[in-house]
Amino acid sequence: MTTDQQIHDLNQPLLNEHQSRFAYVAELLSRRGVDVEKLLKQIADFQIAIPSWALGTGGTRFGRFPLGGEPRTLEEKIADIGLLNRLNRSSNSISLHIPWDVPGDVAAVKQRLVEQNLTIDSVNSNTFQDQADQLHSYKFGSLSHTENAVRDQAIQHNLECVRYGRELDAKTLTVWLADGANFPGQQHFRRAYQRTADSLATIYEGMPSDWTMLIEYKPYEPFFYSMAIPDWGTSYSLCQYVGKNAQVLVDLGHHLPNTNIEQIVGRLMHFGRLGGFHFNGSMYGDDDLTTGSIKPYQLFLIFNELVDGIQDETVKNPPLAWMIDASHNTKDPLEDLLQSVQNILVTYTKALIIDRPTLEEAQEANDVVGAEETLRDSFQIDVRPLVAEASLRTGGALDPIAAFRKGGIREQLIQQRGKKSIATGL
């Protein structure tokens, strides 16, 4: 759909302006002692998984407005993510959701992945919906349910996800529970927690020893009185109970308004239990908006903690899994994903150029203004030319969204798949 030559041709009119802007910021950072070449490699190496469920138009309980050309099969989703990766060179893996995207012909799927230079990053289980062929309902919970038969069904589904993941060479299982209660007295909190812990431990025992279990948390929704795993502390305690390869997954939208997410990130890295991220943006709660669209400075502060922990040799946290988790209700899903990846890369780059010795000196001296200004200085530098240069050097587009539009990609997808095509799973 978009070849390397087409991307090259789309870059040509932008080169002169880009080179001027890149030269300026590169010189600025070089004067500050930043190794620009090392920085460009760090940017190019940073990869963000695209979820298979985020390639179609989202919606609300009131309605959904598909725009056409959406991927109807796993193979078409692989093609769309391959397209995104060709444009930005930073999206080389897929997070797969079961049973929405069960691989039928595993050999054929693996061949498609090779053709698109992609891998399966993780598999995500789904016990928040009842499927047409399942025996027991999850209306009153899954892994925390009062009935053994329901819990066993949910456990077996997670193990089935692991089996699919093994066939596709993934090594991570992500578990998010919708389990909870809407009314006081509906659920016994301590027993529900223990049932959840024991169910997760059973799944963990059935996973290969080199796999990681990511345990996600959420304070509300779909239940509004209580959730089985409402916060990072509960997730952390479950990880401790389950085993050393269980890690906390932080979804940026899964926090109450004004929560200090960056402190949570720092604390989990200190404990060595931060497993990864679901990136999105939010105004009120789990809004699933474009990453960085609402609170860009908070995203920067989160990345400050991440980079600080990654660069600190005393921090023994495993490598992190990065993934977008968003819902595109009014935007073209592919444009939204390109925006999110760009915003993440820009924010990551700003965190990489923080003058950490100066910041640490200010912190140790209790120089409040000095510490804050050190952070703000990096945040305010326009590093977009660095992200564009990293993309250019790896064969990507200088401006992925502009390339998507000028290439008429959505129009081509509609022509191929139809105006009424709707992505599976949503």
Side-chain angles (χ1 to χ4, degrees):
M1 180 160 300
T2 298
T3 65
D4 291 346
Q5 183 60 48
Q6 288 172 321
I7 292 174
H8 176 270
D9 294 342
L10 288 167
N11 283 338
Q12 293 310 299
L14 307 177
L15 274 177
N16 287 339
E17 176 68 16
H18 163 70
Q19 289 168 349
S20 176
R21 296 177 65 202
F22 171 68
Y24 170 78
V25 71
E27 182 183 359
L28 172 66
L29 294 177
S30 294
R31 289 201 306 267
R32 298 184 177 199
V34 175
D35 185 337
V36 175
E37 290 301 315
K38 178 183 177 181
L39 182 62
L40 290 171
K41 186 178 186 309
Q42 289 174 303
I43 300 169
D45 288 344
F46 195 86
Q47 298 291 323
I48 304 127
I50 304 296
S52 63
W53 63 90
L55 297 162
T57 309
T60 70
R61 62 193 177 97
F62 297 106
R64 179 180 177 187
F65 305 95
L67 77 167
E70 297 183 11
R72 300 156 296 185
T73 64
L74 176 55
E75 288 76 13
E76 288 183 349
K77 292 181 179 184
I78 291 172
D80 282 6
I81 296 174
L83 166 67
L84 294 176
N85 191 47
R86 285 195 296 280
L87 290 172
N88 63 28
R89 303 295 170 169
S90 297
S91 308
N92 68 1
S93 60
I94 304 172
S95 189
L96 203 63
H97 211 297
I98 307 296
W100 292 343
D101 294 302
V102 172
D105 186 337
V106 173
V109 169
K110 293 180 76 171
Q111 180 59 35
R112 288 289 182 91
L113 291 169
V114 171
E115 292 169 356
Q116 298 289 344
N117 295 312
L118 300 174
T119 61
I120 300 297
D121 170 77
S122 60
V123 288
N124 297 253
S125 59
N126 179 343
T127 60
F128 53 85
Q129 292 176 328
D130 284 350
Q131 305 303 319
D133 59 346
Q134 75 182 55
L135 184 61
H136 304 286
S137 175
Y138 296 134
K139 181 178 180 178
F140 296 110
S142 59
L143 296 181
S144 71
H145 203 283
T146 55
E147 297 181 15
N148 289 333
V150 181
R151 295 199 303 276
D152 185 63
Q153 177 180 271
I155 289 168
Q156 294 307 314
H157 166 67
N158 277 273
L159 292 175
E160 179 186 38
C161 292
V162 173
R163 179 172 62 81
Y164 286 125
R166 292 183 68 180
E167 291 176 347
L168 296 172
D169 302 320
K171 289 191 175 183
T172 301
L173 171 69
T174 298
V175 180
W176 172 66
L177 289 187
D179 296 18
N182 271 330
F183 299 99
Q186 176 182 340
Q187 190 177 70
H188 190 284
F189 292 144
R190 289 186 288 109
R191 287 198 289 266
Y193 172 87
Q194 192 58 52
R195 290 192 295 266
T196 301
D198 291 340
S199 296
L200 288 169
T202 301
I203 297 167
Y204 185 86
E205 290 171 4
M207 290 168 44
S209 60
D210 60 345
W211 269 57
T212 297
M213 174 185 285
L214 298 179
I215 302 177
E216 197 170 354
Y217 59 90
K218 191 175 187 180
Y220 69 93
E221 193 190 38
F223 293 101
F224 294 93
Y225 175 65
S226 70
M227 292 286 285
I229 311 178
D231 49 45
W232 73 270
T234 304
S235 178
Y236 171 75
S237 71
L238 289 168
C239 290
Q240 294 284 84
Y241 182 86
V242 168
K244 64 181 181 64
N245 287 348
Q247 303 288 333
V248 178
L249 178 69
V250 175
D251 184 307
L252 296 187
H254 288 191
H255 300 87
L256 297 175
N258 302 316
T259 298
N260 190 332
I261 303 174
E262 53 268 33
Q263 185 176 34
I264 294 172
V265 169
R267 193 63 48 81
L268 286 170
M269 291 199 81
H270 182 71
F271 295 154
R273 285 288 188 176
L274 181 61
F277 276 84
H278 278 182
F279 286 108
N280 48 52
S282 64
M283 182 70 180
Y284 303 106
D286 191 21
D287 304 331
D288 275 341
L289 303 177
T290 311
T291 307
S293 61
I294 303 296
K295 301 172 183 175
Y297 192 63
Q298 182 188 47
L299 183 62
F300 168 71
L301 295 176
I302 291 168
F303 264 104
N304 169 50
E305 294 298 327
L306 288 168
V307 170
D308 183 76
I310 291 169
Q311 294 180 349
D312 188 341
E313 294 181 355
T314 66
V315 174
K316 305 302 180 184
N317 200 79
L320 298 172
W322 317 99
M323 197 199 76
I324 294 171
D325 185 8
S327 179
H328 325 290
N329 300 337
T330 54
K331 291 180 178 179
D332 182 311
L334 298 182
E335 289 190 353
D336 188 296
L337 289 164
L338 288 171
Q339 277 188 304
S340 288
V341 172
Q342 291 302 105
N343 289 346
I344 292 167
L345 291 172
V346 164
T347 309
Y348 173 59
T349 304
K350 289 182 177 184
L352 287 173
I353 64 173
I354 292 172
D355 185 344
R356 298 209 171 269
T358 298
L359 177 61
E360 183 177 353
E361 181 180 348
Q363 290 170 336
E364 291 301 311
N366 297 307
D367 181 356
V368 180
V369 172
E372 185 183 16
E373 287 300 306
T374 300
L375 289 179
R376 287 174 59 84
D377 179 62
S378 295
F379 176 72
Q380 291 172 341
I381 295 176
D382 184 3
V383 299
R384 289 176 297 172
L386 294 168
V387 174
E389 179 69 14
S391 179
L392 179 67
R393 292 190 183 189
T394 52
L398 283 170
D399 186 338
I401 295 173
F404 179 87
R405 292 187 168 191
K406 290 179 180 178
I409 292 172
R410 177 55 60 186
E411 291 75 15
Q412 293 179 53
L413 290 172
I414 291 174
Q415 186 176 22
Q416 291 177 8
R417 301 169 184 171
K419 182 66 178 174
K420 300 295 184 180
S421 67
I422 297 177
T424 57
L426 295 173

